[in-house]
Amino acid sequence: MNNGKPDISSYIKQLRTEKGYTHLKLSRLSHVSQPYLSQIEAGTRKPSIDILRKLSTALESDFYELARIAGYYTDEEVIEMKGVKSVLDSVGVEVINDRLLSSSLDSFKKREYPQIEDFLLSEKPLYANKHLLTQQEKKILYKIITALFEESEVNYPSDEEILKLHEEEREMKIKMNDIIKRKEEERREEIQIAKRLENEKHRK
């Protein structure tokens, strides 16, 4: 305990005890070794984020609460992330994936192929020699720069080329998202199988 607040070692031990799990059973369910679990509960080893995810699944506890107690997140960050998760859960997985993966072509162009006007003509603050430029000064600077390159070769990618690259990035994100989803499903199945085998063993 620290200032009346639980530390991660005592909190995990409390959760394990409440579930009636031995170190062996929790190790089987979480795929975290018994020595590692003993070190965590003894306070000699701090669990990583990945280990906390495994333990939260096995103990059926709130991952964000574990991460907060372990010092990875502040109270404010946990509240914010839980709020975001709640919204995403209410929208639905397919809709979420579609919204996350389909960034607009315009934002893709600005990110991968930014033009000087994206900076000079935006509302974001811009400094020159530590002087904050006014919108009028940025417009003047833009006219000067464009005049300098007025007769230069135009080698900006075509819309077709940018669209192709955008689609390739989107497909890559979809593949990565599918891999993550599949691994999460496999992990849940492993937990369920381990629990079922443990229950069958006790019945015998």
Side-chain angles (χ1 to χ4, degrees):
M1 294 284 190
N2 295 317
N3 299 323
K5 296 181 179 180
D7 54 44
I8 193 61
S9 58
S10 59
Y11 189 65
I12 288 176
K13 182 177 182 179
Q14 176 187 329
L15 292 175
R16 177 181 63 79
T17 304
E18 289 175 353
K19 298 289 286 187
Y21 292 168
T22 61
H23 282 133
L24 176 60
K25 182 169 183 177
L26 181 56
S27 176
R28 288 174 176 172
L29 293 174
S30 65
H31 294 277
V32 177
S33 70
Q34 288 188 70
Y36 198 153
L37 289 173
S38 296
Q39 290 171 355
I40 291 172
E41 291 190 4
T44 59
R45 190 168 186 178
K46 181 178 179 179
S48 65
I49 284 288
D50 182 54
I51 293 297
L52 288 177
R53 288 189 186 281
K54 292 179 179 181
L55 291 175
S56 69
T57 302
L59 293 167
E60 298 177 322
S61 60
D62 187 339
F63 161 73
Y64 295 111
E65 183 65 11
L66 286 177
R68 181 190 68 79
I69 294 173
Y72 288 107
Y73 300 133
T74 63
D75 292 349
E76 292 75 16
E77 288 172 334
V78 168
I79 292 171
E80 181 180 350
M81 285 185 288
K82 283 186 176 182
V84 171
K85 185 178 184 300
S86 176
V87 171
L88 295 180
D89 289 343
S90 67
V91 172
V93 175
E94 296 305 320
V95 176
I96 294 168
N97 290 339
D98 186 60
R99 290 181 180 177
L100 290 177
L101 297 173
S102 60
S103 58
S104 70
L105 183 60
D106 182 57
S107 63
F108 177 80
K109 287 171 67 174
K110 288 183 178 180
R111 171 164 52 86
E112 297 296 329
Y113 303 97
Q115 299 198 78
I116 194 69
E117 55 262 38
D118 294 333
F119 299 99
L120 291 179
L121 302 183
S122 72
E123 296 296 325
K124 293 181 179 180
L126 186 65
Y127 294 82
N129 197 26
K130 297 184 179 180
H131 165 70
L132 177 61
L133 298 175
T134 65
Q135 287 302 115
Q136 184 61 32
E137 288 171 332
K138 287 196 285 186
K139 289 178 182 178
I140 293 173
L141 185 56
Y142 171 67
K143 289 180 180 179
I144 294 173
I145 293 175
T146 51
L148 289 172
F149 295 94
E150 191 172 6
E151 297 181 3
S152 299
E153 175 189 0
V154 176
N155 49 21
Y156 194 79
S158 66
D159 287 344
E160 290 75 16
E161 291 174 318
I162 293 176
L163 179 60
K164 180 182 178 182
L165 291 170
H166 179 248
E167 287 300 315
E168 288 176 355
E169 181 186 80
R170 185 176 185 277
E171 289 175 6
M172 181 186 68
K173 287 182 178 180
I174 291 174
K175 289 179 181 178
M176 290 301 297
N177 188 65
D178 288 342
I179 290 172
I180 292 172
K181 284 173 60 180
R182 188 164 62 251
K183 286 188 176 296
E184 288 178 346
E185 290 171 357
E186 290 173 354
R187 180 74 188 130
R188 283 195 291 269
E189 289 177 2
E190 288 177 359
I191 293 291
Q192 293 302 318
I193 291 172
K195 285 183 177 180
R196 188 164 60 249
L197 291 174
E198 190 70 22
N199 291 334
E200 289 176 357
K201 180 181 176 181
H202 283 299
R203 282 199 294 270
K204 291 179 181 179

